[in-house]
Amino acid sequence: MSSATPTRRQFLQQSAAALSGLALSSCGWTLGGQPSPDLDEDASNVALDSTASNELFIYTWADYTDADLLQSFTEQTGIRVIVDIYDSNEAMLAKMQAGGGSSYSIIYPSDYMVGRMVELQLLRPMERSRLEGLDNLFEKFQNPEYDRGNRYSVPFTWGTTGLIYNSAKLSTPPDDWEYLWTHQSDLSRRLTLMNDVREVMGAGLRSLGYSYNSTDPAQLRAAYEHLVNLKPALANFTTDGWRDLILAGDLEMAMGFSFDALSVSDENPDLEYVVPMSGSSLWTDTMVIPRNAPNVQGAYAWINFMFQPQVTADLIERLYFATPNRAAYNLLSQELRENPTLFPPESVLERCQGILPLSTEMEKAYARYWIRLKSV
């Protein structure tokens, strides 16, 4: 794969100038479909949709868009796209609850967060008559456990969580979560974990043989105490900031997502990725429309644009992520289709778990341990 492929690091450096400079096309949008006549739509939303049709504000993870993608969408629809980035589902949710839901028309929550946002009445139900290309989804993504029938969300990408490590610097490669504890002295201050409560607590739970989604108070406490023991070896908790450090040689290992691992290994072949033997998370990131979205028509145009197989395939070739879209997958280069980091074998997937929604009480318990862990 070409070393010229933009990485998330490069995207973040370029995004402010690239995204703000997109010019509007003179054509009108054509991908959004028409609203269903039987939808009980808030009158204020209708007005906002009418007045904001030439702009679309998106709230997403880094590396899910680039300037080429946004320019292509603008050329097809006449809609200018403005992208804001978040680094955790919890940070996104906090912004939505603080009123941010009225600013964005597309958001990219992970699977477990979709259910939470539905409970909080933050999302609009999807009008399937306005969606094009859902039949291209692989079967397992057509009726997911976190959102039966894709009533409120459509899947955008999926992957695993694991360990990215420098094989040239570690005499023994990692094979499981417990490696972090048994090699703690070797990794001291050269290891990062995600800034993500569910992923980090999940890793702590799996290292002790428990479920990634445990709700047992004793197991949660044991995982917290185990992570406290590891804390002195950590350089930081970061979901995105480890890339420059590991590429510069300042880190030897980072907890990260599969598509990030492929991006950095493209720059340094010594950087390898492993899904821990005891299991990790198998996640799906989705596209949703906030309940108070200012440009609903543009939101459907964006979703339909992203379901175009060639659009998705071209984006994957540039940014490296796994797609749930069968038609797009079939257009990928053989090198990407056969890449085990992006598309792991069933033997790996069988030992992974999706992150499930928690009750409000258990969310608070996880949050308490997370705050204590980061402050010790």
Side-chain angles (χ1 to χ4, degrees):
M1 286 167 277
S2 169
S3 60
T5 301
T7 64
R8 175 176 297 189
R9 171 172 55 88
Q10 293 164 334
F11 169 74
L12 290 174
Q13 292 169 345
Q14 299 164 359
S15 59
L19 304 187
S20 63
L22 291 178
L24 295 182
S25 165
S26 60
C27 63
W29 32 258
T30 58
L31 297 171
Q34 295 300 317
S36 171
D38 59 354
L39 179 67
D40 183 16
E41 189 168 28
D42 185 275
S44 63
N45 287 348
V46 175
L48 284 169
D49 198 18
S50 173
T51 59
S53 60
N54 283 334
E55 287 189 331
L56 182 71
F57 287 82
I58 294 177
Y59 201 25
T60 184
W61 303 89
D63 243 16
Y64 281 179
T65 63
D66 66 5
D68 288 346
L69 179 77
L70 304 190
Q71 183 64 50
S72 178
F73 178 75
T74 300
E75 290 172 353
Q76 284 198 35
T77 66
I79 302 173
R80 177 174 176 262
V81 182
I82 300 90
V83 176
D84 287 338
I85 302 298
Y86 58 85
D87 67 355
S88 75
N89 283 285
E90 287 68 31
M92 176 274 293
L93 180 62
K95 187 168 184 175
M96 292 301 101
Q97 291 180 294
S102 62
S103 300
Y104 300 103
S105 296
I106 289 285
I107 305 176
Y108 284 67
S110 298
D111 37 25
Y112 74 94
M113 187 54 67
V114 172
R116 180 64 176 146
M117 295 177 80
V118 170
E119 290 177 2
L120 294 171
Q121 299 185 347
L122 295 175
L123 302 183
R124 296 174 62 92
M126 288 286 176
E127 297 179 74
R128 295 184 72 90
S129 63
R130 300 175 74 175
L131 295 173
E132 302 169 6
L134 286 182
D135 54 340
N136 284 331
L137 290 173
F138 284 107
E139 184 176 353
K140 64 182 177 181
F141 294 102
Q142 294 186 14
N143 189 34
E145 183 177 358
Y146 61 84
D147 181 22
R148 290 299 187 189
N150 291 306
R151 187 179 177 196
Y152 290 91
S153 66
V154 293
F156 171 70
T157 186
W158 63 278
T160 58
T161 299
L163 298 171
I164 300 100
Y165 64 97
N166 192 322
S167 61
K169 294 189 175 185
L170 298 180
S171 57
T172 305
D175 60 355
D176 211 342
W177 294 117
E178 192 59 24
Y179 181 100
L180 306 183
W181 283 265
T182 58
H183 291 76
Q184 183 169 346
S185 59
D186 300 327
L187 295 170
S188 182
R189 299 297 174 177
R190 301 176 74 82
L191 164 70
T192 61
L193 297 182
M194 288 180 172
N195 186 26
D196 187 305
V197 54
R198 295 298 304 277
E199 291 284 8
V200 172
M201 286 294 291
L205 288 162
R206 288 306 297 161
S207 71
L208 297 173
Y210 305 137
S211 168
Y212 225 80
N213 299 293
S214 177
T215 57
D216 184 306
Q219 293 179 3
L220 286 182
R221 181 168 184 82
Y224 160 75
E225 293 174 347
H226 201 37
L227 288 163
V228 168
N229 292 333
L230 182 64
K231 181 77 179 291
L234 298 184
N236 202 356
F237 290 100
T238 176
T239 302
D240 297 320
W242 55 269
R243 294 170 192 78
D244 282 344
L245 296 174
I246 204 168
L247 286 167
D250 296 328
L251 293 178
E252 294 181 359
M253 187 179 299
M255 180 185 183
F257 298 124
S258 48
F259 68 93
D260 287 325
L262 191 58
S263 178
V264 294
S265 66
D266 189 44
E267 295 193 51
N268 181 357
D270 289 334
L271 297 176
E272 300 185 17
Y273 177 76
V274 62
V275 177
M277 285 294 296
S278 61
S280 187
S281 72
L282 178 63
W283 46 265
T284 304
D285 286 343
T286 73
M287 294 182 286
V288 302
I289 304 176
R291 185 177 185 86
N292 295 320
N295 189 355
V296 176
Q297 183 77 11
Y300 280 105
W302 178 262
I303 294 172
N304 290 335
F305 174 73
M306 292 307 306
F307 265 97
Q308 292 180 16
Q310 194 63 60
V311 168
T312 296
D314 289 345
L315 186 64
I316 293 170
E317 294 283 352
R318 298 194 301 270
L319 297 183
Y320 303 158
F321 54 84
T323 178
N325 187 324
R326 181 190 291 106
Y329 172 84
N330 290 336
L331 294 176
L332 296 178
S333 64
Q334 182 177 357
E335 185 177 12
L336 280 182
R337 289 199 311 272
E338 297 179 355
N339 188 292
T341 297
L342 276 191
F343 301 102
E346 196 61 33
S347 59
V348 171
L349 298 179
E350 286 174 351
R351 59 179 190 259
C352 294
Q353 296 177 284
I355 297 180
L356 301 178
L358 298 171
S359 67
T360 301
E361 180 182 356
M362 290 310 304
E363 278 189 352
K364 291 179 179 179
Y366 270 78
R368 284 195 298 270
Y369 281 126
W370 181 240
I371 293 169
R372 290 168 62 183
L373 175 63
K374 295 184 73 174
S375 63
V376 295

